[in-house]
Amino acid sequence: MLNETHAPALKSWVESASDPEGFFPIQNLPYGAFSRGGRGKPRIGVAIGDQILDLGVLEEAGLLPTPQTLFDVPVLNPFMACGKEVWHALRHALSSLLSADNPRLRDDAALRDRALVAMAEATLHLPFDVAGYTDFYASRQHAFNVGSMFRDPANALPPNWLHIPIGYNGRASTVVVSGTDVRRPLGQTKEGEEASPRFGPCERLDFELEFGAVVGTGNALGEPVSLDQADAMLFGFVLLNDWSARDIQKWEYQPLGPFQSKVFATTISPWVVTSEALAPYRVATPEREVDLLPYLRDTGPMNYDVSLDVTLSPAGGGQAMLISRSNTKHLYYSAAQQLTHHTACGCRMEPGDLLGSGTISGPDRSSFGSLLELSWGGKEPLTLPDGGTRSFLEDGDRLTIAGWAQGDGHRIGFGECAGTVLPSVDLAT
């Protein structure tokens, strides 16, 4: 539901929040964890322009309508567990404190100086303890592309795909914040007519352009939730890159699916953009090709219109190249449908559970969300500005995802989701 915090005319006394191409206007107010210059334990803050508002300082000053001490901790989990009414009340309070016509914080120089930290002087950390991580396969075009490559276009989608949000349980312990380097994984691979597998570095390292949903409130073990209940449980969203070792996956995934090929690193953006901030950008899911079962049927627009850009900066300092431009509206299954299905068996979800959308690919080559698709399995390499090529990622390459919802004179942005590939470990040493 839209309210005064979404108004395009709303302005902040933080001047940098008025940049029409900036990611953090007053209409956004995403949450993250930061430390000043990398010193001390992380603190919880809200991004506003090029500044971070320290919620611990505001809490100590008695300016927050929170029911208990929630921000003297390095993660968002205690706050997320409070539920939608508390999230809503705090958003309104922060919007008011940061509004251009409110002098309470604006004119208190001492408090303002303690509460505001320049982003350039802060280190960003993982914003929440990841309770669990589930990766879905919710983009129809991606599923069709992969199925066409490995089977044929006539049988590209598995029989269950149009009926069920397919997913698998990933590894929460290897979810890392943007800026963390990613080590090329080792594993078993087997190609063509080779008599036996070999062990060594991944040779087909890939990215996956995804949208991560963050669960705020959980459910009891054995109690499924409805689609509307699931929607209310979602605190917010992050950009997500589920790094993938395609050659390792090809050998290991039969019959139980990916294992080591998908658990070595999953990168997320440092700012959690709330569901409420994204409310003006809700859109319907794509038209259904077959009717979903009643428990999964849409009760309203539950997808989002968020633009996604992927940039590859090649090793050696070569010119960065935009390699994909996609959008979350291409997801066939919304995050609420993914969460509803996840709990249908009685699975218990907790504050901090992370749901990856799966690779998001649009209808044409320029909007595909992985190098597997962009190079069509390595058969059609991308040409870089310096004349080099890429079928898959090389050591030293940096992959950056940016995302935003375009408002009237402002953007609701996520910051960057970035990582640089490091060489694999040399087991001989």
Side-chain angles (χ1 to χ4, degrees), residues 119-200:
M119 283 193 188
E121 299 173 3
T123 299
L124 300 178
H125 303 272
L126 200 66
F128 56 94
D129 279 335
V130 183
Y133 170 51
T134 305
D135 193 35
F136 284 87
Y137 193 45
S139 166
R140 190 198 185 287
Q141 187 66 52
H142 173 68
F144 177 81
N145 289 343
V146 173
S148 297
M149 261 185 264
F150 295 113
R151 291 184 292 276
D152 65 84
N155 298 295
L157 296 180
N160 59 357
W161 200 93
L162 294 173
H163 300 271
I164 184 174
I166 298 172
Y168 75 97
N169 285 304
R171 184 74 183 167
S173 64
T174 48
V175 176
V176 297
V177 74
S178 177
T180 305
D181 292 336
V182 173
R183 180 75 63 181
R184 182 178 296 273
L186 299 167
Q188 284 194 23
T189 59
K190 183 177 181 297
E191 294 295 333
E193 301 303 316
E194 291 179 344
S196 59
R198 48 198 168 88
F199 181 79

Coordinates of all heavy atoms in Angstrom, one line a residue, residues 119-200:
M119 N 29.5 7.3 3.5 CA 29.7 5.9 2.9 C 31.1 5.7 2.5 O 31.7 4.6 2.7 CB 28.8 5.7 1.7 CG 27.3 5.4 2.0 SD 26.5 4.8 0.6 CE 24.8 4.8 1.2
A120 N 31.8 6.8 2.0 CA 33.2 6.6 1.6 C 34.1 6.3 2.7 O 35.2 5.8 2.5 CB 33.6 7.9 0.9
E121 N 33.7 6.5 4.0 CA 34.5 6.3 5.1 C 34.1 5.0 5.9 O 34.6 4.7 7.0 CB 34.5 7.5 6.1 CG 35.0 8.8 5.4 CD 34.8 10.0 6.3 OE1 34.4 9.8 7.5 OE2 35.2 11.1 5.9
A122 N 33.1 4.3 5.3 CA 32.6 3.1 6.0 C 32.9 1.8 5.3 O 33.1 1.8 4.1 CB 31.1 3.3 6.2
T123 N 33.0 0.7 6.0 CA 33.1 -0.6 5.5 C 31.7 -1.3 5.7 O 31.2 -1.3 6.7 CB 34.2 -1.4 6.2 OG1 35.4 -0.8 6.1 CG2 34.3 -2.8 5.7
L124 N 31.2 -1.9 4.6 CA 29.9 -2.5 4.6 C 30.1 -4.0 4.9 O 31.0 -4.7 4.4 CB 29.2 -2.3 3.3 CG 28.9 -0.8 3.0 CD1 28.2 -0.7 1.6 CD2 28.1 -0.2 4.1
H125 N 29.2 -4.6 5.7 CA 29.3 -6.0 6.1 C 28.0 -6.7 5.7 O 27.0 -6.1 5.2 CB 29.4 -6.1 7.6 CG 30.6 -5.3 8.1 ND1 31.9 -5.9 8.2 CD2 30.8 -4.0 8.5 CE1 32.8 -5.0 8.7 NE2 32.1 -3.9 8.9
L126 N 28.0 -8.0 5.8 CA 26.8 -8.8 5.6 C 25.7 -8.3 6.5 O 25.9 -8.3 7.7 CB 27.1 -10.3 5.9 CG 26.2 -11.3 5.2 CD1 26.3 -11.3 3.7 CD2 26.5 -12.7 5.7
P127 N 24.6 -7.9 5.9 CA 23.6 -7.2 6.8 C 22.7 -8.0 7.7 O 22.1 -7.5 8.6 CB 22.7 -6.5 5.7 CG 22.8 -7.3 4.5 CD 24.2 -7.9 4.5
F128 N 22.7 -9.4 7.5 CA 21.9 -10.2 8.4 C 22.6 -11.6 8.4 O 23.3 -12.0 7.5 CB 20.5 -10.4 7.8 CG 20.4 -10.9 6.4 CD1 20.2 -12.2 6.1 CD2 20.4 -10.0 5.4 CE1 20.1 -12.7 4.8 CE2 20.3 -10.4 4.0 CZ 20.2 -11.7 3.8
D129 N 22.3 -12.3 9.5 CA 22.8 -13.7 9.6 C 21.9 -14.5 8.7 O 20.6 -14.5 8.9 CB 22.6 -14.2 11.1 CG 23.8 -13.7 12.0 OD1 24.9 -13.5 11.4 OD2 23.6 -13.6 13.2
V130 N 22.5 -15.2 7.8 CA 21.7 -16.0 6.8 C 21.3 -17.3 7.5 O 22.2 -18.2 7.7 CB 22.5 -16.3 5.5 CG1 21.7 -17.0 4.5 CG2 23.0 -14.9 4.9
A131 N 20.0 -17.4 7.8 CA 19.6 -18.6 8.5 C 19.6 -19.8 7.6 O 19.9 -21.0 8.1 CB 18.2 -18.4 9.1
G132 N 19.2 -19.7 6.4 CA 19.2 -20.7 5.4 C 19.2 -20.1 4.0 O 18.8 -18.9 3.9
Y133 N 19.6 -20.9 3.0 CA 19.6 -20.3 1.7 C 19.0 -21.4 0.7 O 19.4 -22.5 0.7 CB 21.0 -20.0 1.3 CG 21.2 -19.7 -0.2 CD1 20.4 -18.7 -0.8 CD2 22.1 -20.3 -1.0 CE1 20.5 -18.4 -2.2 CE2 22.3 -20.0 -2.4 CZ 21.5 -19.1 -2.9 OH 21.6 -18.8 -4.3
T134 N 18.0 -20.9 0.0 CA 17.3 -21.8 -1.0 C 17.4 -21.1 -2.4 O 17.1 -19.9 -2.5 CB 15.9 -22.0 -0.7 OG1 15.8 -22.6 0.7 CG2 15.2 -23.0 -1.6
D135 N 17.8 -21.8 -3.4 CA 18.0 -21.2 -4.7 C 16.9 -21.8 -5.6 O 16.7 -23.0 -5.7 CB 19.3 -21.5 -5.3 CG 19.6 -20.7 -6.6 OD1 19.2 -19.5 -6.6 OD2 20.3 -21.2 -7.5
F136 N 16.1 -20.9 -6.2 CA 15.0 -21.4 -7.1 C 15.4 -21.3 -8.6 O 16.6 -20.9 -8.9 CB 13.8 -20.5 -6.8 CG 13.1 -21.0 -5.6 CD1 13.4 -20.4 -4.4 CD2 12.0 -21.9 -5.6 CE1 12.8 -20.8 -3.2 CE2 11.4 -22.3 -4.4 CZ 11.8 -21.7 -3.2
Y137 N 14.5 -21.6 -9.5 CA 14.7 -21.7 -10.9 C 13.5 -21.1 -11.6 O 12.8 -21.7 -12.3 CB 14.8 -23.2 -11.2 CG 15.4 -23.6 -12.6 CD1 16.5 -23.0 -13.1 CD2 14.8 -24.7 -13.3 CE1 17.0 -23.5 -14.3 CE2 15.3 -25.1 -14.5 CZ 16.4 -24.5 -15.0 OH 16.9 -24.9 -16.2
A138 N 13.3 -19.8 -11.3 CA 12.0 -19.2 -11.5 C 11.9 -18.3 -12.8 O 10.8 -17.7 -13.0 CB 11.6 -18.3 -10.3
S139 N 12.9 -18.3 -13.6 CA 12.8 -17.5 -14.9 C 12.5 -18.5 -16.0 O 13.4 -19.4 -16.3 CB 14.1 -16.8 -15.1 OG 14.2 -16.3 -16.4
R140 N 11.4 -18.3 -16.7 CA 11.0 -19.3 -17.7 C 12.1 -19.2 -18.9 O 12.4 -20.3 -19.4 CB 9.6 -18.9 -18.3 CG 9.1 -20.0 -19.2 CD 8.0 -19.5 -20.1 NE 7.4 -20.6 -20.9 CZ 8.0 -21.2 -22.0 NH1 9.3 -20.7 -22.3 NH2 7.5 -22.1 -22.6
Q141 N 12.5 -18.0 -19.3 CA 13.4 -18.0 -20.4 C 14.7 -18.6 -20.1 O 15.3 -19.3 -20.9 CB 13.7 -16.5 -20.8 CG 14.5 -16.3 -22.0 CD 13.8 -16.7 -23.3 OE1 12.7 -16.3 -23.5 NE2 14.4 -17.6 -24.1
H142 N 15.2 -18.5 -18.8 CA 16.5 -19.2 -18.5 C 16.3 -20.7 -18.5 O 17.1 -21.4 -19.1 CB 16.9 -18.7 -17.1 CG 18.1 -19.5 -16.5 ND1 19.3 -19.4 -17.1 CD2 18.1 -20.4 -15.5 CE1 20.2 -20.2 -16.4 NE2 19.5 -20.8 -15.5
A143 N 15.2 -21.2 -17.9 CA 14.9 -22.6 -17.9 C 14.8 -23.1 -19.4 O 15.3 -24.2 -19.7 CB 13.7 -22.9 -17.2
F144 N 14.2 -22.3 -20.2 CA 14.0 -22.8 -21.6 C 15.4 -22.8 -22.3 O 15.7 -23.7 -23.1 CB 13.1 -21.8 -22.4 CG 12.9 -22.1 -23.8 CD1 12.1 -23.1 -24.3 CD2 13.6 -21.4 -24.8 CE1 12.0 -23.4 -25.6 CE2 13.5 -21.7 -26.1 CZ 12.7 -22.7 -26.5
N145 N 16.2 -21.7 -22.1 CA 17.5 -21.7 -22.7 C 18.4 -22.9 -22.3 O 19.0 -23.5 -23.2 CB 18.2 -20.4 -22.3 CG 17.6 -19.1 -22.9 OD1 16.9 -19.2 -23.9 ND2 17.9 -18.0 -22.4
V146 N 18.5 -23.1 -21.0 CA 19.3 -24.2 -20.6 C 18.8 -25.6 -21.1 O 19.5 -26.4 -21.5 CB 19.4 -24.2 -19.0 CG1 20.1 -25.5 -18.5 CG2 20.1 -23.0 -18.5
G147 N 17.5 -25.7 -21.0 CA 16.9 -27.0 -21.5 C 17.1 -27.2 -23.0 O 17.3 -28.3 -23.5
S148 N 17.1 -26.1 -23.8 CA 17.3 -26.1 -25.2 C 18.8 -26.5 -25.5 O 19.1 -27.3 -26.4 CB 17.1 -24.8 -25.9 OG 15.7 -24.4 -25.7
M149 N 19.7 -26.0 -24.7 CA 21.1 -26.4 -24.9 C 21.4 -27.8 -24.6 O 22.2 -28.5 -25.3 CB 22.0 -25.5 -23.9 CG 22.6 -24.3 -24.6 SD 23.7 -23.4 -23.4 CE 22.5 -22.2 -22.8
F150 N 20.8 -28.3 -23.5 CA 21.2 -29.7 -23.1 C 20.2 -30.8 -23.5 O 20.5 -32.0 -23.4 CB 21.4 -29.7 -21.5 CG 22.5 -28.8 -21.1 CD1 22.3 -27.7 -20.4 CD2 23.8 -29.1 -21.4 CE1 23.3 -26.9 -20.0 CE2 24.9 -28.3 -21.0 CZ 24.6 -27.2 -20.3
R151 N 19.0 -30.4 -24.0 CA 18.1 -31.4 -24.5 C 17.7 -30.9 -25.9 O 18.5 -31.1 -26.8 CB 16.9 -31.5 -23.6 CG 17.2 -32.2 -22.2 CD 16.0 -32.4 -21.4 NE 15.4 -31.1 -20.9 CZ 15.8 -30.5 -19.8 NH1 16.8 -30.9 -19.1 NH2 15.2 -29.4 -19.5
D152 N 16.6 -30.3 -26.1 CA 16.2 -29.7 -27.3 C 15.0 -28.8 -27.1 O 14.3 -28.9 -26.0 CB 15.8 -30.8 -28.4 CG 14.5 -31.5 -27.9 OD1 13.4 -31.1 -28.2 OD2 14.7 -32.6 -27.3
P153 N 14.8 -27.8 -27.9 CA 13.7 -26.8 -27.6 C 12.3 -27.4 -27.4 O 11.5 -26.9 -26.6 CB 13.7 -25.9 -28.9 CG 15.1 -26.0 -29.4 CD 15.5 -27.4 -29.1
A154 N 12.0 -28.5 -28.0 CA 10.7 -29.1 -27.9 C 10.5 -29.7 -26.5 O 9.4 -29.8 -26.0 CB 10.5 -30.2 -29.0
N155 N 11.6 -30.0 -25.8 CA 11.5 -30.6 -24.5 C 12.4 -29.9 -23.5 O 13.0 -30.4 -22.6 CB 12.0 -32.1 -24.5 CG 11.1 -33.0 -25.4 OD1 10.0 -33.2 -25.2 ND2 11.7 -33.4 -26.5
A156 N 12.4 -28.5 -23.7 CA 13.3 -27.7 -22.9 C 12.9 -27.7 -21.4 O 13.8 -27.8 -20.5 CB 13.4 -26.3 -23.5
L157 N 11.6 -27.5 -21.2 CA 11.2 -27.4 -19.8 C 10.9 -28.8 -19.2 O 10.2 -29.6 -19.9 CB 9.9 -26.5 -19.7 CG 10.0 -25.1 -20.1 CD1 8.7 -24.4 -20.0 CD2 11.1 -24.3 -19.3
P158 N 11.3 -29.0 -18.0 CA 10.9 -30.3 -17.3 C 9.4 -30.3 -17.2 O 8.7 -29.2 -17.1 CB 11.6 -30.2 -15.9 CG 12.7 -29.2 -16.1 CD 12.2 -28.2 -17.1
P159 N 8.7 -31.5 -17.1 CA 7.3 -31.6 -17.0 C 6.7 -30.8 -15.9 O 5.5 -30.3 -15.9 CB 7.0 -33.1 -16.9 CG 8.2 -33.7 -17.4 CD 9.4 -32.8 -17.1
N160 N 7.4 -30.6 -14.8 CA 6.8 -30.0 -13.6 C 7.0 -28.4 -13.6 O 6.5 -27.8 -12.7 CB 7.5 -30.5 -12.3 CG 9.0 -30.4 -12.3 OD1 9.6 -29.9 -13.2 ND2 9.6 -30.8 -11.2
W161 N 7.8 -27.9 -14.6 CA 8.3 -26.5 -14.4 C 7.1 -25.5 -14.4 O 7.1 -24.5 -13.7 CB 9.3 -26.2 -15.5 CG 10.1 -25.0 -15.1 CD1 11.3 -25.0 -14.5 CD2 9.7 -23.6 -15.3 NE1 11.7 -23.7 -14.3 CE2 10.7 -22.8 -14.7 CE3 8.6 -22.9 -15.8 CZ2 10.7 -21.4 -14.7 CZ3 8.6 -21.5 -15.8 CH2 9.6 -20.8 -15.2
L162 N 6.1 -25.7 -15.2 CA 5.0 -24.7 -15.3 C 4.0 -24.9 -14.2 O 3.0 -24.1 -14.1 CB 4.3 -24.9 -16.6 CG 5.1 -24.5 -17.9 CD1 4.3 -24.8 -19.2 CD2 5.4 -23.0 -17.9
H163 N 4.2 -25.8 -13.3 CA 3.3 -26.1 -12.2 C 3.9 -25.8 -10.8 O 3.1 -25.6 -9.8 CB 2.9 -27.6 -12.2 CG 2.2 -28.0 -13.4 ND1 0.8 -27.9 -13.6 CD2 2.7 -28.5 -14.6 CE1 0.5 -28.3 -14.8 NE2 1.6 -28.7 -15.4
I164 N 5.2 -25.7 -10.7 CA 5.8 -25.7 -9.4 C 7.1 -24.9 -9.4 O 7.9 -24.9 -10.3 CB 6.2 -27.2 -9.0 CG1 6.7 -27.3 -7.6 CG2 7.1 -27.8 -9.9 CD1 6.9 -28.7 -7.1
P165 N 7.3 -24.0 -8.4 CA 8.6 -23.3 -8.2 C 9.7 -24.3 -7.8 O 9.8 -24.7 -6.7 CB 8.3 -22.2 -7.2 CG 6.9 -22.2 -6.9 CD 6.4 -23.6 -7.3
I166 N 10.5 -24.7 -8.8 CA 11.6 -25.6 -8.5 C 12.7 -25.0 -7.7 O 13.1 -23.8 -8.0 CB 12.1 -26.2 -9.8 CG1 11.0 -27.0 -10.5 CG2 13.3 -27.2 -9.5 CD1 11.4 -27.4 -11.9
G167 N 13.3 -25.6 -6.7 CA 14.4 -25.1 -5.9 C 15.2 -26.1 -5.3 O 14.8 -27.3 -5.3
Y168 N 16.3 -25.7 -4.7 CA 17.2 -26.7 -4.0 C 17.8 -25.9 -2.8 O 17.9 -24.7 -2.9 CB 18.2 -27.3 -4.9 CG 19.4 -26.4 -5.2 CD1 20.6 -26.4 -4.4 CD2 19.3 -25.5 -6.2 CE1 21.6 -25.5 -4.7 CE2 20.3 -24.6 -6.5 CZ 21.5 -24.6 -5.7 OH 22.5 -23.8 -6.0
N169 N 18.1 -26.6 -1.8 CA 18.7 -26.0 -0.6 C 20.2 -25.8 -0.8 O 21.0 -26.7 -1.1 CB 18.5 -26.8 0.6 CG 17.1 -26.7 1.1 OD1 16.6 -25.6 1.4 ND2 16.4 -27.8 1.2
G170 N 20.7 -24.5 -0.8 CA 22.1 -24.2 -0.9 C 22.8 -24.1 0.4 O 22.4 -24.7 1.4
R171 N 23.9 -23.4 0.4 CA 24.8 -23.3 1.6 C 24.8 -21.9 2.1 O 25.4 -21.0 1.6 CB 26.2 -23.8 1.2 CG 27.2 -23.9 2.3 CD 26.9 -25.1 3.1 NE 27.8 -25.1 4.2 CZ 27.7 -26.0 5.3 NH1 26.6 -26.8 5.3 NH2 28.5 -25.9 6.3
A172 N 24.2 -21.7 3.3 CA 24.1 -20.4 3.9 C 25.5 -19.9 4.4 O 25.7 -18.7 4.3 CB 23.2 -20.4 5.1
S173 N 26.4 -20.8 4.7 CA 27.7 -20.4 5.3 C 28.6 -19.7 4.2 O 29.6 -19.1 4.6 CB 28.4 -21.6 5.9 OG 28.7 -22.5 4.8
T174 N 28.3 -19.8 2.9 CA 29.1 -19.2 1.9 C 28.5 -18.0 1.2 O 28.9 -17.6 0.2 CB 29.6 -20.3 0.9 OG1 28.4 -21.0 0.4 CG2 30.6 -21.2 1.5
V175 N 27.4 -17.5 1.8 CA 26.8 -16.2 1.4 C 27.7 -15.1 1.9 O 28.0 -15.0 3.1 CB 25.4 -16.0 1.9 CG1 24.9 -14.7 1.5 CG2 24.5 -17.1 1.3
V176 N 28.2 -14.3 0.9 CA 29.2 -13.2 1.3 C 28.6 -11.9 0.8 O 27.8 -11.8 -0.1 CB 30.6 -13.5 0.7 CG1 31.1 -14.7 1.3 CG2 30.5 -13.6 -0.8
V177 N 29.1 -10.8 1.4 CA 28.7 -9.4 1.0 C 29.5 -8.9 -0.2 O 30.7 -9.4 -0.5 CB 28.9 -8.5 2.2 CG1 30.3 -8.1 2.4 CG2 28.0 -7.2 1.9
S178 N 28.9 -8.1 -1.0 CA 29.6 -7.5 -2.2 C 31.0 -7.0 -1.8 O 31.2 -6.4 -0.8 CB 28.7 -6.3 -2.7 OG 29.3 -5.7 -3.8
G179 N 31.9 -7.2 -2.7 CA 33.3 -6.8 -2.5 C 34.2 -7.9 -2.1 O 35.4 -7.8 -2.1
T180 N 33.6 -9.0 -1.7 CA 34.4 -10.2 -1.2 C 34.9 -10.9 -2.4 O 34.1 -11.2 -3.4 CB 33.5 -11.1 -0.4 OG1 32.9 -10.4 0.7 CG2 34.3 -12.3 0.1
D181 N 36.2 -11.2 -2.5 CA 36.8 -11.9 -3.6 C 36.3 -13.4 -3.6 O 35.9 -13.9 -2.5 CB 38.3 -11.9 -3.5 CG 38.9 -10.5 -3.7 OD1 38.3 -9.7 -4.4 OD2 40.0 -10.3 -3.2
V182 N 36.2 -13.9 -4.8 CA 35.7 -15.3 -4.9 C 36.8 -16.2 -5.5 O 37.3 -16.0 -6.5 CB 34.4 -15.3 -5.9 CG1 34.0 -16.7 -6.2 CG2 33.3 -14.5 -5.3
R183 N 37.1 -17.3 -4.7 CA 38.1 -18.2 -5.1 C 37.6 -19.2 -6.1 O 36.5 -19.8 -5.9 CB 38.6 -18.9 -3.9 CG 39.7 -19.9 -4.1 CD 41.1 -19.3 -4.3 NE 41.6 -18.5 -3.2 CZ 42.7 -17.9 -3.2 NH1 43.5 -17.9 -4.3 NH2 43.1 -17.2 -2.1
R184 N 38.3 -19.4 -7.2 CA 37.9 -20.4 -8.2 C 37.8 -21.7 -7.6 O 38.8 -22.2 -7.0 CB 38.9 -20.4 -9.4 CG 38.5 -21.3 -10.5 CD 39.5 -21.3 -11.7 NE 39.4 -20.0 -12.3 CZ 38.6 -19.6 -13.3 NH1 37.7 -20.5 -13.8 NH2 38.6 -18.4 -13.8
P185 N 36.7 -22.4 -7.7 CA 36.6 -23.7 -7.0 C 37.4 -24.9 -7.6 O 37.6 -24.8 -8.9 CB 35.1 -24.0 -7.0 CG 34.6 -23.3 -8.2 CD 35.5 -22.1 -8.4
L186 N 37.7 -25.8 -6.8 CA 38.2 -27.1 -7.3 C 37.1 -28.1 -7.3 O 36.2 -28.0 -6.6 CB 39.4 -27.6 -6.4 CG 40.6 -26.7 -6.3 CD1 41.5 -27.2 -5.1 CD2 41.4 -26.7 -7.6
G187 N 37.2 -29.1 -8.2 CA 36.2 -30.2 -8.2 C 36.5 -31.2 -9.2 O 37.5 -31.1 -10.0
Q188 N 35.6 -32.2 -9.3 CA 35.7 -33.2 -10.3 C 35.0 -32.8 -11.6 O 33.9 -32.2 -11.5 CB 35.0 -34.5 -9.8 CG 35.9 -35.3 -8.8 CD 35.3 -36.8 -8.7 OE1 34.6 -37.3 -9.6 NE2 35.6 -37.4 -7.6
T189 N 35.6 -33.1 -12.7 CA 35.0 -32.9 -14.0 C 35.2 -34.0 -14.9 O 36.2 -34.8 -14.7 CB 35.5 -31.6 -14.7 OG1 36.9 -31.7 -14.9 CG2 35.2 -30.3 -13.9
K190 N 34.4 -34.2 -15.9 CA 34.5 -35.3 -16.9 C 33.9 -34.8 -18.2 O 32.8 -34.3 -18.3 CB 33.8 -36.6 -16.4 CG 34.0 -37.7 -17.4 CD 33.4 -39.0 -16.8 CE 33.6 -40.2 -17.7 NZ 32.9 -40.0 -19.1
E191 N 34.7 -34.9 -19.3 CA 34.3 -34.4 -20.6 C 34.3 -35.5 -21.6 O 35.2 -36.4 -21.6 CB 35.3 -33.3 -21.1 CG 35.3 -32.0 -20.2 CD 34.0 -31.3 -20.3 OE1 33.2 -31.4 -21.3 OE2 33.6 -30.5 -19.3
G192 N 33.2 -35.5 -22.4 CA 33.1 -36.3 -23.6 C 33.4 -37.8 -23.3 O 32.8 -38.4 -22.4
E193 N 34.4 -38.3 -24.0 CA 34.7 -39.8 -23.9 C 35.8 -40.1 -22.9 O 36.3 -41.2 -23.0 CB 35.1 -40.2 -25.3 CG 34.0 -40.1 -26.4 CD 32.7 -40.7 -26.0 OE1 32.8 -41.9 -25.6 OE2 31.6 -40.1 -26.2
E194 N 36.1 -39.2 -22.1 CA 37.1 -39.5 -21.1 C 36.7 -40.7 -20.2 O 35.6 -40.8 -19.9 CB 37.3 -38.3 -20.1 CG 38.0 -37.1 -20.8 CD 38.1 -35.9 -19.9 OE1 37.5 -35.8 -18.8 OE2 38.9 -35.0 -20.2
A195 N 37.7 -41.6 -20.0 CA 37.4 -42.8 -19.3 C 37.0 -42.6 -17.8 O 36.2 -43.3 -17.3 CB 38.6 -43.7 -19.4
S196 N 37.6 -41.6 -17.2 CA 37.3 -41.3 -15.8 C 37.4 -39.8 -15.5 O 38.0 -39.1 -16.3 CB 38.3 -42.1 -14.9 OG 39.6 -41.7 -15.2
P197 N 36.8 -39.4 -14.4 CA 36.9 -37.9 -14.1 C 38.3 -37.5 -13.7 O 39.1 -38.3 -13.3 CB 35.9 -37.8 -13.0 CG 35.9 -39.1 -12.3 CD 36.1 -40.1 -13.4
R198 N 38.5 -36.2 -13.7 CA 39.7 -35.6 -13.2 C 39.4 -34.6 -12.2 O 38.3 -34.1 -12.1 CB 40.6 -35.0 -14.3 CG 39.8 -34.2 -15.3 CD 40.6 -34.0 -16.6 NE 39.7 -33.4 -17.7 CZ 39.6 -32.1 -17.9 NH1 40.3 -31.2 -17.1 NH2 38.9 -31.6 -18.8
F199 N 40.4 -34.2 -11.4 CA 40.2 -33.2 -10.3 C 41.1 -32.0 -10.5 O 42.3 -32.2 -10.9 CB 40.6 -33.9 -8.9 CG 40.4 -32.9 -7.8 CD1 39.1 -32.7 -7.2 CD2 41.5 -32.3 -7.2 CE1 38.9 -31.8 -6.2 CE2 41.3 -31.4 -6.2 CZ 40.0 -31.2 -5.6
G200 N 40.5 -30.8 -10.4 CA 41.3 -29.6 -10.7 C 40.4 -28.4 -10.7 O 39.2 -28.5 -10.3

